[in-house]
Amino acid sequence: MLEYKILNSLKPLTGDKSKFRQWHQKFVNALSQVKTEYGQIMRKLEDLMDTGTKIPEAKGELDQHFADMHTFSRDLHSVIVDKCEGEAYDKIRPIQN
């Protein structure tokens, strides 16, 4: 995933919470340009989280709608690790791929 110019041009995410929403929108847009299905997954996940769906139920829902969640998860993890710095990196570092 990191070979795509659109993802390489995305600025790093830091611990600045005020800039997260804008960074997130750019991130989802970049993922959509790389793989359309990835943007769909991210939007579906946002919808599920906005309605209060818990993580295990959201995972089940996504697994039903999208064929290769394992590859998505692996790709997402590699991009997030690359794009996070400082406090944001400290928060995601313990998460396993």
Side-chain angles (χ1 to χ4, degrees):
M1 291 288 293
L2 297 173
E3 68 271 11
Y4 290 97
K5 189 174 185 177
I6 187 84
L7 291 172
N8 282 320
S9 67
L10 188 65
K11 292 182 180 171
L13 174 65
T14 63
D16 186 350
K17 294 177 184 176
S18 68
K19 295 184 179 181
F20 174 76
R21 188 172 304 276
Q22 181 182 21
W23 182 89
H24 178 74
Q25 290 173 343
K26 289 179 180 182
F27 177 66
V28 171
N29 182 52
L31 284 178
S32 296
Q33 289 183 42
V34 171
K35 289 193 177 183
T36 304
E37 186 177 42
Y38 285 6
Q40 294 168 348
I41 293 170
M42 292 295 290
R43 285 187 284 283
K44 179 71 173 173
L45 182 58
E46 288 172 17
D47 291 344
L48 291 168
M49 294 293 106
D50 287 347
T51 60
T53 305
K54 303 295 182 199
I55 298 289
E57 291 85 20
K59 182 183 179 321
E61 180 82 16
L62 292 172
D63 285 341
Q64 289 178 14
H65 292 286
F66 302 100
D68 196 0
M69 287 301 295
H70 178 72
T71 301
F72 168 74
S73 179
R74 188 184 64 230
D75 287 348
L76 182 66
H77 185 265
S78 68
V79 174
I80 292 287
V81 167
D82 184 67
K83 290 297 170 185
C84 288
E85 293 180 348
E87 182 183 345
Y89 180 79
D90 291 340
K91 288 182 179 182
I92 59 101
R93 186 171 35 104
I95 299 172
Q96 296 296 316
N97 181 351

Coordinates of all heavy atoms in Angstrom, one line a residue:
M1 N 0.8 -1.2 0.0 CA 0.0 0.0 0.0 C 0.9 1.3 0.0 O 0.5 2.3 -0.6 CB -0.9 0.0 1.2 CG -2.0 -1.0 1.3 SD -3.3 -0.6 0.1 CE -4.0 0.8 0.8
L2 N 2.0 1.2 0.7 CA 2.8 2.4 0.8 C 3.5 2.9 -0.5 O 4.0 3.9 -0.5 CB 3.8 2.2 1.9 CG 3.2 2.0 3.3 CD1 4.2 1.6 4.3 CD2 2.4 3.1 3.8
E3 N 3.4 2.1 -1.5 CA 4.0 2.5 -2.8 C 3.1 3.5 -3.5 O 3.5 4.1 -4.5 CB 4.3 1.3 -3.7 CG 3.0 0.6 -4.2 CD 2.5 -0.5 -3.3 OE1 2.9 -0.6 -2.1 OE2 1.6 -1.3 -3.7
Y4 N 1.9 3.7 -3.1 CA 1.0 4.6 -3.8 C 1.3 6.1 -3.4 O 1.3 6.4 -2.2 CB -0.5 4.3 -3.5 CG -0.9 3.0 -4.1 CD1 -0.9 1.8 -3.3 CD2 -1.3 2.9 -5.4 CE1 -1.3 0.6 -3.9 CE2 -1.7 1.7 -6.0 CZ -1.7 0.6 -5.2 OH -2.1 -0.6 -5.8
K5 N 1.4 6.9 -4.4 CA 1.8 8.3 -4.2 C 0.8 9.0 -3.3 O 1.1 9.8 -2.5 CB 1.9 9.0 -5.6 CG 2.4 10.4 -5.5 CD 2.7 11.0 -6.9 CE 3.3 12.3 -6.8 NZ 3.6 12.8 -8.1
I6 N -0.5 8.7 -3.5 CA -1.6 9.4 -2.7 C -1.4 9.2 -1.2 O -1.6 10.0 -0.4 CB -3.0 9.0 -3.2 CG1 -4.1 9.8 -2.5 CG2 -3.3 7.5 -3.0 CD1 -4.3 11.2 -3.1
L7 N -1.0 8.0 -0.9 CA -0.8 7.6 0.5 C 0.5 8.2 1.0 O 0.6 8.7 2.2 CB -0.8 6.1 0.8 CG -2.2 5.5 0.6 CD1 -2.1 4.0 0.6 CD2 -3.2 6.0 1.6
N8 N 1.5 8.3 0.2 CA 2.8 8.9 0.6 C 2.7 10.4 0.8 O 3.4 11.0 1.6 CB 3.9 8.6 -0.4 CG 4.4 7.2 -0.3 OD1 4.6 6.7 0.8 ND2 4.7 6.5 -1.4
S9 N 1.8 11.0 0.1 CA 1.6 12.5 0.2 C 0.7 12.9 1.4 O 0.7 14.0 1.8 CB 1.0 13.1 -1.1 OG -0.3 12.6 -1.2
L10 N 0.1 11.9 2.0 CA -0.7 12.2 3.2 C 0.2 12.5 4.4 O 1.1 11.8 4.7 CB -1.6 10.9 3.6 CG -2.6 11.1 4.6 CD1 -3.7 12.0 4.2 CD2 -3.2 9.7 4.9
K11 N -0.1 13.6 5.0 CA 0.7 14.1 6.1 C 0.5 13.2 7.3 O -0.6 12.5 7.5 CB 0.3 15.5 6.5 CG 0.7 16.5 5.5 CD 0.4 17.9 5.9 CE 0.9 18.8 4.7 NZ 0.4 20.2 4.9
P12 N 1.5 13.1 8.2 CA 1.4 12.2 9.4 C 0.3 12.7 10.3 O 0.0 13.9 10.4 CB 2.7 12.3 10.1 CG 3.7 12.8 9.0 CD 2.8 13.7 8.1
L13 N -0.3 11.7 11.0 CA -1.2 12.0 12.1 C -0.5 12.1 13.4 O 0.3 11.2 13.8 CB -2.3 10.9 12.2 CG -3.3 10.9 13.4 CD1 -4.2 12.1 13.2 CD2 -4.1 9.7 13.4
T14 N -0.7 13.2 14.1 CA 0.0 13.4 15.4 C -1.1 13.3 16.5 O -2.2 12.9 16.2 CB 0.7 14.8 15.4 OG1 -0.3 15.8 15.3 CG2 1.7 14.9 14.3
G15 N -0.8 13.7 17.7 CA -1.7 13.7 18.8 C -2.7 14.8 18.8 O -3.5 14.9 19.7
D16 N -2.6 15.7 17.8 CA -3.5 16.9 17.8 C -4.9 16.5 17.4 O -5.2 16.3 16.3 CB -2.9 17.9 16.8 CG -3.7 19.2 16.8 OD1 -4.7 19.3 17.5 OD2 -3.2 20.2 16.1
K17 N -5.8 16.4 18.4 CA -7.1 16.0 18.2 C -7.9 16.9 17.4 O -8.9 16.5 16.7 CB -7.8 15.8 19.6 CG -7.2 14.6 20.4 CD -7.8 14.5 21.7 CE -7.1 13.4 22.5 NZ -7.6 13.3 23.9
S18 N -7.6 18.2 17.4 CA -8.4 19.1 16.6 C -8.2 18.9 15.1 O -9.0 19.3 14.3 CB -8.0 20.6 16.9 OG -6.6 20.8 16.5
K19 N -7.1 18.2 14.7 CA -6.9 18.0 13.2 C -7.3 16.6 12.8 O -7.1 16.3 11.6 CB -5.4 18.3 12.9 CG -5.1 19.8 13.1 CD -3.7 20.1 12.7 CE -3.4 21.6 13.0 NZ -2.1 22.0 12.6
F20 N -7.7 15.8 13.7 CA -8.0 14.4 13.4 C -9.1 14.3 12.3 O -8.9 13.5 11.4 CB -8.4 13.6 14.6 CG -8.8 12.2 14.2 CD1 -7.9 11.2 13.9 CD2 -10.2 11.8 14.2 CE1 -8.3 9.9 13.5 CE2 -10.6 10.6 13.8 CZ -9.6 9.6 13.5
R21 N -10.2 14.9 12.5 CA -11.3 14.8 11.5 C -10.9 15.1 10.1 O -11.2 14.4 9.2 CB -12.5 15.7 11.9 CG -13.7 15.4 11.1 CD -15.0 16.1 11.6 NE -15.2 15.9 13.0 CZ -15.9 14.8 13.5 NH1 -16.4 14.0 12.6 NH2 -16.2 14.7 14.8
Q22 N -10.1 16.2 9.9 CA -9.7 16.5 8.6 C -8.7 15.5 8.1 O -8.8 15.0 6.9 CB -9.0 17.9 8.6 CG -8.5 18.3 7.2 CD -7.8 19.7 7.3 OE1 -7.3 20.1 8.3 NE2 -7.7 20.3 6.1
W23 N -7.8 15.0 8.9 CA -6.8 14.0 8.5 C -7.6 12.7 8.1 O -7.3 12.1 7.1 CB -5.8 13.7 9.6 CG -4.8 12.7 9.2 CD1 -3.6 12.9 8.6 CD2 -4.9 11.3 9.4 NE1 -3.0 11.7 8.4 CE2 -3.7 10.7 8.8 CE3 -5.9 10.4 9.9 CZ2 -3.5 9.3 8.8 CZ3 -5.6 9.0 9.9 CH2 -4.5 8.5 9.3
H24 N -8.6 12.3 8.9 CA -9.3 11.1 8.7 C -10.1 11.2 7.3 O -10.1 10.2 6.6 CB -10.4 10.9 9.8 CG -11.2 9.7 9.6 ND1 -10.8 8.4 9.8 CD2 -12.5 9.6 9.3 CE1 -11.7 7.6 9.6 NE2 -12.8 8.3 9.2
Q25 N -10.6 12.3 7.0 CA -11.3 12.5 5.7 C -10.3 12.3 4.6 O -10.6 11.6 3.6 CB -12.0 13.8 5.6 CG -13.2 13.9 6.5 CD -13.9 15.3 6.6 OE1 -13.2 16.3 6.2 NE2 -15.1 15.4 7.1
K26 N -9.2 12.9 4.7 CA -8.2 12.8 3.7 C -7.7 11.3 3.6 O -7.4 10.8 2.5 CB -7.0 13.7 3.9 CG -7.3 15.2 3.7 CD -6.2 16.0 4.0 CE -6.5 17.5 3.8 NZ -5.4 18.4 4.1
F27 N -7.5 10.7 4.7 CA -7.1 9.3 4.7 C -8.1 8.4 4.0 O -7.7 7.5 3.2 CB -6.9 8.9 6.2 CG -6.5 7.4 6.4 CD1 -5.3 7.0 6.0 CD2 -7.4 6.6 7.1 CE1 -4.9 5.6 6.1 CE2 -7.0 5.3 7.3 CZ -5.8 4.8 6.8
V28 N -9.4 8.5 4.3 CA -10.4 7.7 3.7 C -10.5 8.0 2.2 O -10.6 7.0 1.4 CB -11.8 7.9 4.4 CG1 -12.9 7.2 3.6 CG2 -11.8 7.4 5.8
N29 N -10.3 9.2 1.8 CA -10.3 9.6 0.4 C -9.1 8.9 -0.3 O -9.2 8.3 -1.4 CB -10.2 11.1 0.2 CG -10.2 11.5 -1.2 OD1 -11.1 11.1 -2.0 ND2 -9.2 12.3 -1.6
A30 N -7.9 8.9 0.3 CA -6.7 8.3 -0.2 C -6.9 6.8 -0.4 O -6.6 6.2 -1.4 CB -5.5 8.6 0.6
L31 N -7.5 6.2 0.7 CA -7.7 4.7 0.6 C -8.7 4.4 -0.5 O -8.5 3.4 -1.2 CB -8.3 4.2 1.9 CG -7.4 4.0 3.1 CD1 -8.1 3.6 4.3 CD2 -6.3 3.0 2.8
S32 N -9.7 5.2 -0.7 CA -10.7 5.0 -1.8 C -10.1 5.1 -3.1 O -10.5 4.4 -4.0 CB -11.8 6.0 -1.7 OG -12.5 5.9 -0.5
Q33 N -9.1 6.0 -3.3 CA -8.4 6.1 -4.6 C -7.5 4.9 -4.9 O -7.4 4.5 -6.0 CB -7.6 7.4 -4.6 CG -8.5 8.6 -4.7 CD -7.8 9.9 -4.8 OE1 -6.8 9.9 -5.6 NE2 -8.2 10.9 -4.1
V34 N -7.0 4.3 -3.8 CA -6.1 3.1 -4.0 C -7.0 1.9 -4.3 O -6.7 1.2 -5.2 CB -5.2 2.9 -2.8 CG1 -4.5 1.6 -2.8 CG2 -4.2 4.1 -2.6
K35 N -8.0 1.7 -3.4 CA -8.9 0.6 -3.6 C -10.3 1.0 -3.2 O -10.5 1.3 -2.0 CB -8.5 -0.6 -2.7 CG -7.3 -1.3 -3.2 CD -7.1 -2.6 -2.5 CE -5.9 -3.3 -3.1 NZ -5.7 -4.7 -2.5
T36 N -11.2 1.1 -4.2 CA -12.6 1.6 -3.9 C -13.2 0.8 -2.7 O -13.9 1.5 -1.9 CB -13.4 1.4 -5.2 OG1 -12.8 2.0 -6.3 CG2 -14.8 2.0 -5.0
E37 N -13.0 -0.5 -2.7 CA -13.6 -1.2 -1.6 C -13.2 -0.8 -0.2 O -13.9 -0.8 0.8 CB -13.4 -2.7 -1.8 CG -14.1 -3.6 -0.7 CD -13.9 -5.1 -0.9 OE1 -12.7 -5.5 -1.2 OE2 -14.8 -5.8 -0.8
Y38 N -11.9 -0.3 -0.1 CA -11.4 0.1 1.2 C -12.1 1.4 1.7 O -12.4 1.5 2.9 CB -9.9 0.4 1.1 CG -9.0 -0.9 1.1 CD1 -9.6 -2.1 1.0 CD2 -7.7 -0.8 1.1 CE1 -8.8 -3.3 0.9 CE2 -6.9 -1.9 1.1 CZ -7.4 -3.2 1.0 OH -6.7 -4.3 1.0
G39 N -12.4 2.3 0.8 CA -13.2 3.4 1.1 C -14.6 3.0 1.6 O -15.2 3.6 2.6
Q40 N -15.2 2.1 0.9 CA -16.5 1.6 1.3 C -16.5 0.9 2.7 O -17.4 1.1 3.5 CB -17.0 0.5 0.3 CG -17.3 1.1 -1.1 CD -17.5 0.1 -2.2 OE1 -17.2 -1.1 -2.0 NE2 -17.9 0.5 -3.3
I41 N -15.4 0.2 3.0 CA -15.3 -0.4 4.3 C -15.2 0.6 5.4 O -15.9 0.6 6.4 CB -14.1 -1.4 4.3 CG1 -14.3 -2.6 3.4 CG2 -13.8 -1.8 5.8 CD1 -13.0 -3.4 3.2
M42 N -14.4 1.6 5.1 CA -14.2 2.7 6.1 C -15.5 3.5 6.4 O -15.9 3.7 7.5 CB -13.1 3.7 5.7 CG -11.7 3.1 5.7 SD -11.1 2.6 7.3 CE -10.9 4.2 8.0
R43 N -16.3 3.8 5.3 CA -17.5 4.5 5.5 C -18.6 3.6 6.2 O -19.3 4.1 7.1 CB -18.1 5.0 4.1 CG -17.3 6.2 3.6 CD -17.9 6.8 2.4 NE -17.6 6.0 1.2 CZ -16.5 6.0 0.6 NH1 -15.5 6.8 1.0 NH2 -16.3 5.3 -0.5
K44 N -18.6 2.3 5.9 CA -19.5 1.4 6.6 C -19.1 1.3 8.1 O -20.0 1.3 8.9 CB -19.4 0.0 5.9 CG -20.3 -1.0 6.6 CD -21.8 -0.8 6.3 CE -22.6 -1.9 6.8 NZ -24.1 -1.6 6.7
L45 N -17.8 1.2 8.4 CA -17.4 1.2 9.8 C -17.8 2.5 10.5 O -18.2 2.4 11.6 CB -15.9 1.0 9.8 CG -15.2 0.8 11.2 CD1 -15.8 -0.3 12.0 CD2 -13.7 0.7 11.0
E46 N -17.6 3.6 9.9 CA -18.0 4.9 10.5 C -19.5 4.8 10.8 O -19.9 5.3 11.9 CB -17.7 6.0 9.5 CG -16.3 6.4 9.4 CD -16.0 7.4 8.3 OE1 -17.0 8.1 7.9 OE2 -14.9 7.5 7.9
D47 N -20.3 4.4 9.8 CA -21.8 4.3 10.1 C -22.1 3.4 11.3 O -22.9 3.7 12.1 CB -22.5 3.8 8.8 CG -22.5 4.8 7.7 OD1 -22.2 5.9 7.9 OD2 -22.8 4.3 6.5
L48 N -21.4 2.3 11.3 CA -21.7 1.3 12.4 C -21.3 1.9 13.8 O -22.0 1.8 14.8 CB -20.9 0.0 12.2 CG -21.4 -0.8 11.0 CD1 -20.4 -1.9 10.7 CD2 -22.8 -1.4 11.4
M49 N -20.1 2.6 13.8 CA -19.7 3.2 15.1 C -20.6 4.4 15.5 O -20.9 4.6 16.6 CB -18.2 3.7 14.9 CG -17.2 2.6 14.7 SD -17.0 1.6 16.1 CE -17.8 0.1 15.5
D50 N -21.1 5.1 14.5 CA -22.0 6.3 14.8 C -23.3 5.8 15.4 O -24.0 6.6 16.1 CB -22.3 7.1 13.5 CG -21.1 7.9 13.1 OD1 -20.1 8.1 13.9 OD2 -21.1 8.5 12.0
T51 N -23.7 4.6 15.0 CA -25.0 4.1 15.6 C -24.8 3.3 16.9 O -25.7 2.7 17.4 CB -25.7 3.2 14.5 OG1 -24.9 2.1 14.2 CG2 -26.1 3.9 13.3
G52 N -23.6 3.3 17.4 CA -23.3 2.7 18.7 C -23.0 1.2 18.6 O -23.0 0.5 19.6
T53 N -22.8 0.7 17.4 CA -22.5 -0.7 17.2 C -21.1 -1.0 17.9 O -20.1 -0.3 17.7 CB -22.4 -1.1 15.7 OG1 -23.6 -0.7 15.1 CG2 -22.2 -2.6 15.6
K54 N -21.1 -2.1 18.7 CA -19.8 -2.5 19.4 C -18.9 -3.2 18.4 O -19.3 -3.7 17.3 CB -20.1 -3.5 20.5 CG -21.1 -2.9 21.5 CD -20.5 -1.7 22.3 CE -21.4 -1.2 23.3 NZ -21.1 0.1 23.8
I55 N -17.6 -3.2 18.7 CA -16.6 -3.7 17.8 C -16.9 -5.1 17.3 O -16.8 -5.4 16.1 CB -15.2 -3.6 18.4 CG1 -14.8 -2.2 18.7 CG2 -14.1 -4.3 17.5 CD1 -14.5 -1.3 17.5
P56 N -17.2 -6.1 18.2 CA -17.4 -7.5 17.7 C -18.6 -7.5 16.7 O -18.5 -8.3 15.7 CB -17.7 -8.3 18.9 CG -17.1 -7.5 20.0 CD -17.2 -6.0 19.6
E57 N -19.6 -6.8 16.9 CA -20.8 -6.8 16.0 C -20.4 -6.1 14.7 O -20.8 -6.5 13.6 CB -22.0 -6.1 16.6 CG -22.6 -6.9 17.8 CD -21.9 -6.6 19.1 OE1 -21.2 -5.6 19.3 OE2 -22.1 -7.4 20.0
A58 N -19.6 -5.0 14.8 CA -19.2 -4.3 13.6 C -18.3 -5.2 12.7 O -18.5 -5.3 11.5 CB -18.4 -3.1 13.9
K59 N -17.4 -6.0 13.4 CA -16.6 -6.9 12.6 C -17.4 -7.9 11.9 O -17.2 -8.2 10.7 CB -15.6 -7.6 13.5 CG -14.6 -8.5 12.8 CD -13.7 -9.2 13.7 CE -12.8 -10.2 13.0 NZ -13.3 -10.9 11.9
G60 N -18.4 -8.5 12.6 CA -19.3 -9.5 11.9 C -20.0 -8.9 10.7 O -20.2 -9.5 9.7
E61 N -20.5 -7.7 10.9 CA -21.2 -7.0 9.8 C -20.3 -6.7 8.6 O -20.7 -7.0 7.5 CB -21.8 -5.6 10.3 CG -22.5 -4.8 9.3 CD -24.0 -5.2 9.2 OE1 -24.5 -5.9 10.0 OE2 -24.5 -4.8 8.2
L62 N -19.1 -6.3 8.9 CA -18.2 -6.0 7.8 C -17.8 -7.3 7.1 O -17.6 -7.4 5.9 CB -16.9 -5.3 8.3 CG -17.2 -3.9 8.8 CD1 -15.9 -3.3 9.5 CD2 -17.6 -3.0 7.7
D63 N -17.6 -8.4 7.9 CA -17.2 -9.7 7.3 C -18.3 -10.2 6.3 O -18.0 -10.8 5.3 CB -17.0 -10.7 8.4 CG -15.6 -10.5 9.1 OD1 -14.8 -9.9 8.5 OD2 -15.5 -11.1 10.2
Q64 N -19.6 -9.9 6.6 CA -20.7 -10.3 5.8 C -20.7 -9.5 4.4 O -21.1 -10.1 3.4 CB -22.0 -10.1 6.5 CG -22.3 -11.0 7.6 CD -23.6 -10.7 8.3 OE1 -24.4 -10.0 7.8 NE2 -23.8 -11.3 9.5
H65 N -20.3 -8.3 4.5 CA -20.4 -7.4 3.3 C -19.1 -7.4 2.4 O -19.2 -7.0 1.2 CB -20.7 -6.0 3.7 CG -22.1 -5.9 4.2 ND1 -23.2 -6.0 3.4 CD2 -22.6 -5.7 5.5 CE1 -24.3 -5.8 4.2 NE2 -23.9 -5.7 5.4
F66 N -18.0 -7.7 3.0 CA -16.7 -7.5 2.3 C -15.9 -8.8 2.4 O -15.7 -9.4 3.4 CB -15.9 -6.3 2.8 CG -16.7 -5.0 2.8 CD1 -17.3 -4.5 3.9 CD2 -16.8 -4.3 1.6 CE1 -18.0 -3.3 3.8 CE2 -17.5 -3.2 1.5 CZ -18.1 -2.6 2.6
A67 N -15.4 -9.2 1.2 CA -14.8 -10.6 1.1 C -13.5 -10.7 1.8 O -13.3 -11.7 2.5 CB -14.7 -10.9 -0.4
D68 N -12.6 -9.8 1.7 CA -11.2 -10.0 2.2 C -10.9 -9.0 3.3 O -10.0 -8.1 3.1 CB -10.3 -9.9 1.0 CG -8.9 -10.5 1.4 OD1 -8.7 -10.9 2.5 OD2 -8.0 -10.5 0.5
M69 N -11.5 -9.1 4.4 CA -11.2 -8.2 5.5 C -9.8 -8.4 6.1 O -9.2 -7.5 6.6 CB -12.3 -8.4 6.6 CG -13.6 -7.8 6.3 SD -13.6 -6.1 5.9 CE -13.2 -5.4 7.5
H70 N -9.3 -9.6 5.9 CA -7.9 -9.9 6.4 C -6.9 -9.0 5.7 O -6.0 -8.4 6.3 CB -7.5 -11.3 6.3 CG -6.2 -11.6 6.8 ND1 -5.8 -11.6 8.1 CD2 -5.0 -11.9 6.1 CE1 -4.5 -11.9 8.3 NE2 -4.0 -12.1 7.0
T71 N -7.0 -9.0 4.4 CA -6.1 -8.1 3.6 C -6.3 -6.7 3.9 O -5.3 -5.9 4.0 CB -6.3 -8.4 2.1 OG1 -6.0 -9.8 1.8 CG2 -5.3 -7.6 1.2
F72 N -7.5 -6.2 4.0 CA -7.8 -4.9 4.4 C -7.2 -4.5 5.7 O -6.5 -3.5 5.9 CB -9.3 -4.6 4.4 CG -9.7 -3.3 5.1 CD1 -9.5 -2.1 4.4 CD2 -10.2 -3.3 6.4 CE1 -9.9 -0.9 5.0 CE2 -10.5 -2.0 7.0 CZ -10.4 -0.9 6.3
S73 N -7.4 -5.4 6.7 CA -6.8 -5.1 8.0 C -5.3 -5.0 8.0 O -4.7 -4.1 8.6 CB -7.2 -6.3 9.0 OG -6.7 -6.1 10.2
R74 N -4.6 -5.9 7.3 CA -3.2 -5.8 7.1 C -2.7 -4.6 6.4 O -1.8 -3.9 6.9 CB -2.7 -7.1 6.4 CG -1.2 -7.2 6.4 CD -0.7 -8.4 5.5 NE -1.1 -8.1 4.1 CZ -1.8 -9.0 3.3 NH1 -2.1 -10.1 3.7 NH2 -2.0 -8.6 2.1
D75 N -3.4 -4.2 5.3 CA -3.0 -3.0 4.6 C -3.3 -1.7 5.5 O -2.4 -0.8 5.5 CB -3.8 -2.9 3.3 CG -3.4 -3.9 2.2 OD1 -2.3 -4.5 2.4 OD2 -4.1 -4.0 1.2
L76 N -4.4 -1.7 6.1 CA -4.7 -0.6 7.0 C -3.7 -0.4 8.1 O -3.2 0.7 8.4 CB -6.1 -0.7 7.6 CG -6.6 0.4 8.4 CD1 -6.8 1.6 7.6 CD2 -7.9 0.0 9.1
H77 N -3.3 -1.5 8.7 CA -2.3 -1.5 9.8 C -1.0 -0.9 9.3 O -0.4 -0.1 9.9 CB -2.1 -2.9 10.4 CG -1.2 -2.9 11.6 ND1 0.1 -3.2 11.5 CD2 -1.5 -2.7 12.9 CE1 0.7 -3.1 12.6 NE2 -0.3 -2.8 13.5
S78 N -0.5 -1.3 8.1 CA 0.8 -0.9 7.6 C 0.7 0.6 7.3 O 1.7 1.3 7.6 CB 1.2 -1.7 6.4 OG 0.4 -1.4 5.3
V79 N -0.4 1.1 6.8 CA -0.5 2.5 6.5 C -0.6 3.4 7.8 O 0.1 4.4 7.9 CB -1.7 2.8 5.6 CG1 -1.9 4.3 5.4 CG2 -1.5 2.2 4.2
I80 N -1.4 2.9 8.7 CA -1.6 3.6 10.0 C -0.2 3.7 10.7 O 0.1 4.8 11.2 CB -2.7 3.0 10.9 CG1 -4.0 3.1 10.2 CG2 -2.6 3.5 12.3 CD1 -4.6 4.5 10.3
V81 N 0.5 2.6 10.8 CA 1.8 2.6 11.5 C 2.7 3.6 10.8 O 3.4 4.3 11.5 CB 2.4 1.2 11.6 CG1 3.8 1.2 12.0 CG2 1.6 0.3 12.5
D82 N 2.7 3.6 9.5 CA 3.6 4.5 8.8 C 3.2 6.0 9.0 O 4.1 6.9 9.0 CB 3.6 4.2 7.3 CG 4.6 5.0 6.5 OD1 5.8 4.9 6.7 OD2 4.1 5.9 5.7
K83 N 1.9 6.3 9.1 CA 1.4 7.7 9.1 C 1.2 8.3 10.5 O 0.9 9.5 10.6 CB 0.1 7.8 8.3 CG 0.3 7.6 6.8 CD 1.1 8.7 6.3 CE 1.6 8.4 4.9 NZ 2.5 9.4 4.4
C84 N 1.4 7.5 11.5 CA 1.3 8.1 12.9 C 2.6 8.5 13.5 O 3.6 7.8 13.3 CB 0.6 7.1 13.8 SG -1.2 6.9 13.4
E85 N 2.6 9.6 14.2 CA 3.8 10.1 14.9 C 3.4 10.5 16.3 O 2.2 10.8 16.6 CB 4.3 11.3 14.2 CG 4.9 10.9 12.8 CD 5.5 12.2 12.1 OE1 5.3 13.3 12.6 OE2 6.2 12.0 11.1
G86 N 4.3 10.5 17.2 CA 4.2 11.0 18.5 C 3.1 10.3 19.3 O 3.1 9.0 19.4
E87 N 2.2 11.0 19.9 CA 1.1 10.4 20.8 C 0.3 9.5 20.0 O -0.1 8.4 20.5 CB 0.3 11.5 21.4 CG -0.8 11.0 22.3 CD -1.7 12.2 22.8 OE1 -1.3 13.4 22.7 OE2 -2.8 11.8 23.3
A88 N -0.1 9.8 18.7 CA -0.9 8.9 17.9 C -0.2 7.6 17.7 O -0.8 6.5 17.8 CB -1.2 9.5 16.6
Y89 N 1.1 7.6 17.4 CA 1.9 6.4 17.3 C 1.9 5.5 18.5 O 1.8 4.3 18.5 CB 3.3 6.7 16.8 CG 4.1 5.4 16.6 CD1 4.0 4.7 15.4 CD2 5.0 5.0 17.5 CE1 4.7 3.5 15.2 CE2 5.8 3.8 17.4 CZ 5.6 3.1 16.2 OH 6.3 1.9 16.0
D90 N 2.1 6.2 19.7 CA 2.2 5.5 21.0 C 0.9 4.8 21.2 O 0.9 3.7 21.8 CB 2.4 6.5 22.1 CG 3.8 7.1 22.0 OD1 4.7 6.5 21.4 OD2 4.1 8.1 22.6
K91 N -0.3 5.3 20.8 CA -1.6 4.7 21.0 C -1.8 3.5 20.1 O -2.4 2.5 20.5 CB -2.7 5.7 20.8 CG -2.8 6.7 21.9 CD -3.9 7.6 21.7 CE -4.0 8.6 22.8 NZ -5.1 9.6 22.7
I92 N -1.2 3.5 18.9 CA -1.5 2.4 17.9 C -0.4 1.3 18.0 O -0.6 0.2 17.5 CB -1.7 2.9 16.5 CG1 -0.5 3.6 16.0 CG2 -3.0 3.7 16.4 CD1 0.3 2.8 15.1
R93 N 0.8 1.7 18.5 CA 1.9 0.8 18.5 C 1.6 -0.6 19.1 O 2.0 -1.6 18.6 CB 3.1 1.4 19.3 CG 4.4 0.6 19.2 CD 5.5 1.4 19.7 NE 5.2 2.3 20.8 CZ 5.5 2.0 22.1 NH1 6.1 1.0 22.4 NH2 5.1 2.9 23.1
P94 N 0.9 -0.7 20.2 CA 0.6 -2.0 20.8 C -0.4 -2.9 20.0 O -0.5 -4.1 20.3 CB 0.0 -1.7 22.2 CG 0.0 -0.3 22.4 CD 0.4 0.4 21.1
I95 N -1.1 -2.3 19.1 CA -2.1 -3.0 18.3 C -1.4 -4.0 17.3 O -0.6 -3.6 16.6 CB -3.0 -2.1 17.6 CG1 -3.8 -1.2 18.6 CG2 -4.0 -2.9 16.7 CD1 -4.6 -0.1 17.9
Q96 N -1.8 -5.2 17.4 CA -1.2 -6.2 16.5 C -1.9 -6.2 15.2 O -3.1 -6.0 15.1 CB -1.3 -7.6 17.1 CG -0.5 -7.8 18.4 CD 0.9 -7.6 18.2 OE1 1.5 -8.2 17.2 NE2 1.6 -6.9 19.0
N97 N -1.2 -6.5 14.1 CA -1.8 -6.6 12.8 C -2.8 -7.7 12.7 O -2.6 -8.8 13.1 CB -0.6 -6.8 11.8 CG -1.1 -6.8 10.4 OD1 -2.3 -6.9 10.1 ND2 -0.1 -6.7 9.5

